[in-house]
Structure formats: C-alpha cells, structure tokens
Amino acid sequence: MKALRPLLAAGLLVIGVLAVIVLARMPRISAPPDDTPSGAPTPTATAGTIVLYFVADDGSLRREGREVPEVPAATPALIRLVLDELLTGSREGLTSPFPWATNVQAVLVDDQGTAYVDLSPPPAEDPPTGSNVETTLVYAIVDSITANCRGIERVQLLFGGREIETLGHLDLSRPIAAGADLVTP
Amino acid sequence: MRPLLALVLSILTAAVAGAVAVTAPQGTVEVFARGELVDVLALFQVAGIEVKFAPAAGSYSAVNADHQVQFTPGGTLAVVDGRLLALPGPVRTLDRHTVATVASAALLLAPFDWTLTASAAGLILSRGVTGDRLELSVVHAEDGATIVIAGSAKRPRVVATAGAVTLQYPGPIMLAQPWPPGPEVTSAEVQDVSLVLRLAAGLEVASSYPLEDPIRFVIKLGKPQAQGQVASARGSATVVLDPGHGGEDQGAKGPGGELEKDLTLQIARVAAAKLQGAGVTVRLTRDGDEAIALQHRTALANRLQAVVFVSIHANASVAKGAKGAETYFMNADASDQQAAASAARENATAGADTVELILWDLAHVANLNASARLARTLQERLNALQGIRDRGIRQAPFVVLTGATMPAALVEVGFLSNPDEATRLLTTEYQTELAIALADAVIEYLKTPSPATPTAPQP
C-alpha cells in the first residue's frame, strides 16, 4: 500500500493540472445577476399609484387609479404588475376587458420602446368576437402599459407564444401604439 | 488517502461533465454545458459578438454592426432585429451561467451568420456563408394552393406582384434543391436575398404567415373572386361593399344566436341595389355565405381600382350597455409614414417591385383625408336614423382597411351584444333603413369632389 503512495500522489498532481487547464480554457463570462430567474436586479420598490383602463358600460375605456404597495423599477416587472392588476379587475364597478380566462405567459421589452406581452390563447371553440371586444381588449392593455411604463411606446400582443395576424378585426401582427380614441373621461 | 482521491476525481469528473468542446474557427474551447443546455453567453464570446445585460429591460442584448438579438433569462422569446422569434426552449440561469438548449442557442446565433451544430465530439460553431437552405413544398387545394417554406427561422417580407410573389429575407438564402415547374408555382429562383416564385395564371397571394414547430413560412394562394353580382352602370367608378365575416367566421352573435355574417350580407345586398339604382357600379366581396380572407377582400377592390371600399359589420362588447353605430378608418401612425418615406429614399434606385410597394404604402397615407371624409359622411347618415346612438368616427388598425389603396371605411351599424339593439337590428325594416343610409352616404361622398384624391398604384 505504502509503495503506491508516490504513484497516487503523482497521479493526483497530473489530474489536478489537467483540471486547471480545462477550467482555464473555458471562456470567462461575467455571470448574470442571479437573484431572480429573469436575471433582473432587485428593483428598488416604492409604494405608488398606477393607472389602469377598464371597460365602461357604454363600451368605452375608463381610467382607474390604484394604489399599490410596490411599484417595481424594472420595466418587465412593472408591466407584469400592471397586467396582474388589470386581470384582477376593477374596484370601481367597471368591466374587465378580458373576454376569456387569461394569464400572462411572458413579458419581453426591447430597447426600441416596444413591449411584447404573451397571453394565453383564446378558446378554440366559439371565441368571443366583435370589434369592440377586440379594441377594448387591445387598448386596455396597450394604454395601461404605456401610461405606467416610461419609455414603452408600443405593445405587441402574442397569444400562446405566437404572433397572430388578427383576432378577426385588428391587425395584431405589428406592435400597437397607445390610442386615446376609446377613452372617455 | 482513498477519500482524498475520490474527492479529487469527483471534482475533475464534474468539471469535465460540465463542459462541452466547441470547435470554432480559432480552435477548440471548452464551454460550460449541462445535459442539453449550453452556456449561450460563452458561445457569443467565442463568436466574437458582444453581449450586454440591460438591467432595466431584464434582458441581454447581443450586437454587432449589422444585427441585434435580445433575449431574457427565463423567457422563450427573442427579438431579432426588431422581429419576434420563438425559441424551442427557454434561456435559463444555471450555476451562474446563462444557458439554453443547443437548438435555441443556434437560433440566437443564426442572425449573426454563425451556425451551431452538434457533432460526436461536441459542438461546431462555424461561420455560415451559404445562407439558409430553403425547402419548398406546395399543397394543392381546390380553390388555390399553399406554399410551405422550411429551413429559415428568419421571417421574410412578402411582396406580391402580378404573377409572382417575392420573399425578401434579411440574410443570405439558397434553395435546398432546384424547383421543378409545377401547376401552381411555375418557377422558384433566388435573387440576392430574395426568393422569387412565379405563379400560374389566375393565382394570387391571399395571405402569408409564419408557423412554428418546426419553423416554416406559409403563403396561401387563392383564385381571384369570381365576378360578383350587381349590375354596372356604363363607365362609372366602382364601389366595393364588404359584408363582414362569412362561412366559418360567423362574427358576433345576437341573444338568440343570430349571426353577424347574415346581417351584414343582407344590409350589403340592399345597399348595393340602391347604389345600382343610382347608376353606381357595385361589387360585393361575397354574395353568399363564404369565408373570404381579409386580404382577399381589399385585393378585389384594389384590382378593380375601386374608388370606395366600405366594410359592413355589427358589433359586440364585453359591456352589456354598449350600443350605437360607429365608423372606423385606418390609422397610419407617424412611424408608418416615416418608414414609407425613408424606404422611398433608401430604395430610390431599387427595382420596380420595391418602388411599387413604396407607392402602395404612400397611397395608404395619402388616402387618409379622403377616408376620414368617407367615414364622416357614413356616420352622419347613420346618425340621421331615428333613435340611433352616435359613437362617432374612430381610427384603429383594422386588417381589412390597411390593405386598401382607395378611401376605405368600416361601419359598425350597432351592437348585437345589446339585447335591445339586437332586437331592432334583426328586423328587415331597420336593416333596410341602415342599408339605404349607407348607400346615400356613398352617393353623397361620390358627388362631392375630393380635394386631392390620389391615384392608387396599379395592383
């Protein structure tokens, strides 16, 4: 056993040197912030008011302010908060713009001022249709996001992770800018 | 001694198992990997492409002089030069590395002309110089055909011209194999970064869209609509009326299951008869219960060089109290106008197809004022009806309006989702009143000379 010791030591040395070479050859990349799965740094959150748009009884959009305990500094987190509050529904008796059960599957922001929001797809059978259903859905989302997120000018909606051409009326293949046409005071 | 040996061996095994050999033009390097996942930031570094993390957006941005790719840890979407790209698997953070599947990493590298492929020895990262290999197939149908193009994750710009369709790709392309002439697609050839498909007589592009799993691009071809009904007056300008929806697309529903597609057809028929009686040439986009692509509806009007396009719809809302009539015309926001103008400058020396496309874009913008006047005239006539609620004229990017190269408007005559209004909308008398109001509005619009009606380019 003792006779094997020098051999073992030499073997360990060779292995150790090899390990150092392998590790040294791996490209060094600055590690991303690893505090969240999205890689975003922890935002400094402060309480504040956000603005949401819901559907009034006449089919127009109406503004509703809402106090929230934390307004995230990072844009994707703020967009998620706005959409979550929109999905929670109005506290002032207004109607939800979402014609079917929806959740937010992904949010992505580019540096050209466009937010991409991926929603669960419409039901395959008998989806609600009508241009007012579509315009209130699209502009409640676009107007709510652009009203709260500085630097976001347009929103492209995706459904089930896919770009779609239309839900029947509006051209959704491109990002949509905020529209004040539907909003009533 | 044995525990020490075991420890060192396990560390080494972990280090080796946690890396993959990547063969790049400058040599072979080891990159962090775990199972199917590989360090995507390391691959960008090997390719010499700068990657920055933007904390505010929560995303990485890979940039070189020509291209930009943004992706977010935790997300399955990337933005490639402003276009969205769905990844087959998410980008994730693993042991302080940003990793993705080899397939996803390959898609993120592809815009920079780098190809990532798996081999027995690891991964091969090579400079792509040949371009995407496009695989073409054509599916025949009774009323046209569907062209499926596989082999590129890049989304082409589709330019339809008489007898051909050109797909302009953002990077180099090649055909996987020569295309033998077929009954629908008579030839296929690559010109620079464009794929030019010549179409058999009588076929035209009805729609185009990307598909995923696997990534493909689809072009639907259709036959131009057969001559519709309605008589023509000698030499007069043509008006196209578009009864909304049709076929499987039933549109909105009334309280008793009444269908928007039936209501819009009835109103369009009566309005067409009234216009015809006044000597106006009228064509309907459909004269039966047919499903017609939105682009096909405006394509008919464009081909006929119609002077007016009116799409007729009935509305529905999530708000039960919503009622009344409203008229839309297209909105071309400032960026669209700027895009058209800058494209015109950049392509001053471009081929005829490009110039035609730009003229088309400019015609949209130039028609805005005329479309607004048409919408106002239609809405005023509807407002004159007894007991109707005026919801005004509005702008929104309706698909059926953005394709028109003449003054165009979309009328929502009332809400089928409102029980009271639906009851009224479903009477023959009210449908006739609405139809006559729309016809009178078109006649009034045609009688008033437009200050600057532009000439739409030849489709």
Side-chain angles (χ1 to χ4, degrees), chain A residues 84-154:
Chain A
D84 286 345
E85 292 296 331
L86 204 56
L87 284 162
T88 304
S90 168
R91 293 176 188 165
E92 297 175 7
L94 299 169
T95 301
S96 165
F98 297 99
W100 58 80
T102 306
N103 58 58
V104 181
Q105 299 184 336
V107 171
L108 184 65
V109 172
D110 72 10
D111 58 5
Q112 314 291 311
T114 304
Y116 297 85
V117 172
D118 182 18
L119 301 173
S120 42
E125 297 239 333
D126 223 10
T129 178
S131 74
N132 187 264
V133 171
E134 269 177 60
T135 50
T136 51
L137 170 68
V138 170
Y139 285 103
I141 294 171
V142 176
D143 289 5
S144 296
I145 289 174
T146 52
N148 294 288
C149 303
R150 193 180 301 168
I152 299 295
E153 290 167 5
R154 285 152 204 285

Side-chain angles (χ1 to χ4, degrees), chain B residues 215-262:
Chain B
I215 291 171
R216 290 155 292 165
F217 194 78
V218 176
I219 299 171
K220 290 218 176 237
L221 302 178
K223 291 177 180 154
Q225 288 297 294
Q227 291 286 316
Q229 58 143 58
V230 188
S232 67
R234 282 174 302 274
S236 74
T238 302
V239 167
V240 171
L241 298 182
D242 172 41
H245 309 278
E248 287 177 0
D249 172 13
Q250 300 179 333
K253 290 192 180 66
E258 302 88 351
L259 303 175
E260 179 188 354
K261 65 174 183 176
D262 298 332

Side-chain angles (χ1 to χ4, degrees), chain B residues 183-453:
Chain B
E184 284 97 3
V185 179
T186 56
S187 77
E189 59 179 290
V190 172
Q191 295 175 2
D192 192 19
V193 294
S194 293
L195 175 66
V196 182
L197 306 174
R198 305 256 168 233
L199 307 178
L203 284 177
E204 61 181 24
V205 175
S207 63
S208 61
Y209 48 89
L211 284 177
E212 286 148 20
D213 302 325
I215 291 171
R216 290 155 292 165
F217 194 78
V218 176
I219 299 171
K220 290 218 176 237
L221 302 178
K223 291 177 180 154
Q225 288 297 294
Q227 291 286 316
Q229 58 143 58
V230 188
S232 67
R234 282 174 302 274
S236 74
T238 302
V239 167
V240 171
L241 298 182
D242 172 41
H245 309 278
E248 287 177 0
D249 172 13
Q250 300 179 333
K253 290 192 180 66
E258 302 88 351
L259 303 175
E260 179 188 354
K261 65 174 183 176
D262 298 332
L263 176 65
T264 58
L265 181 58
Q266 179 58 22
I267 293 172
R269 280 176 172 161
V270 176
K274 163 88 180 172
L275 283 166
Q276 183 190 341
V280 178
T281 306
V282 184
R283 286 280 296 274
L284 298 185
T285 55
R286 67 178 177 99
D287 190 24
D289 184 18
E290 309 157 63
I292 295 171
L294 293 171
Q295 293 88 341
H296 228 133
R297 298 170 188 248
T298 30
L300 172 74
N302 293 344
R303 200 169 53 250
L304 292 170
Q305 292 186 268
V307 293
V308 168
F309 178 86
V310 178
S311 190
I312 301 168
H313 286 249
N315 218 335
S317 176
V318 292
K320 290 286 164 274
K323 63 177 181 179
E326 60 196 13
T327 306
Y328 280 91
F329 64 105
M330 71 163 276
N331 67 346
D333 64 22
S335 69
D336 287 341
Q337 294 180 42
Q338 284 164 6
S342 85
R345 280 196 304 276
E346 288 168 12
N347 292 288
T349 58
D353 289 355
T354 314
V355 171
E356 191 170 294
L357 181 82
I358 293 161
L359 287 172
W360 199 282
D361 283 350
L362 292 174
H364 283 204
V365 177
N367 278 323
L368 269 183
N369 288 340
S371 294
R373 186 167 71 84
L374 173 65
R376 196 162 48 243
T377 311
L378 288 161
Q379 186 65 31
E380 281 168 2
R381 288 283 178 166
L382 291 174
N383 291 344
L385 296 178
Q386 199 80 38
I388 203 162
R389 179 168 174 223
D390 173 18
R391 298 178 67 87
I393 62 170
R394 301 166 187 263
Q395 286 182 277
F398 280 84
V399 177
V400 81
L401 296 182
T402 50
T405 54
M406 72 291 302
L410 182 146
V411 176
E412 293 280 0
V413 293
F415 282 77
L416 277 172
S417 56
N418 180 309
D420 291 343
E421 193 157 64
T423 305
R424 193 178 179 206
L425 281 169
L426 294 165
T427 63
T428 310
E429 295 75 22
Y430 191 53
Q431 288 167 11
T432 305
E433 277 186 60
L434 289 165
I436 289 171
L438 297 179
D440 286 345
V442 170
I443 293 165
E444 181 187 332
Y445 171 86
L446 291 173
K447 276 184 187 162
T448 317
S450 192
T453 303

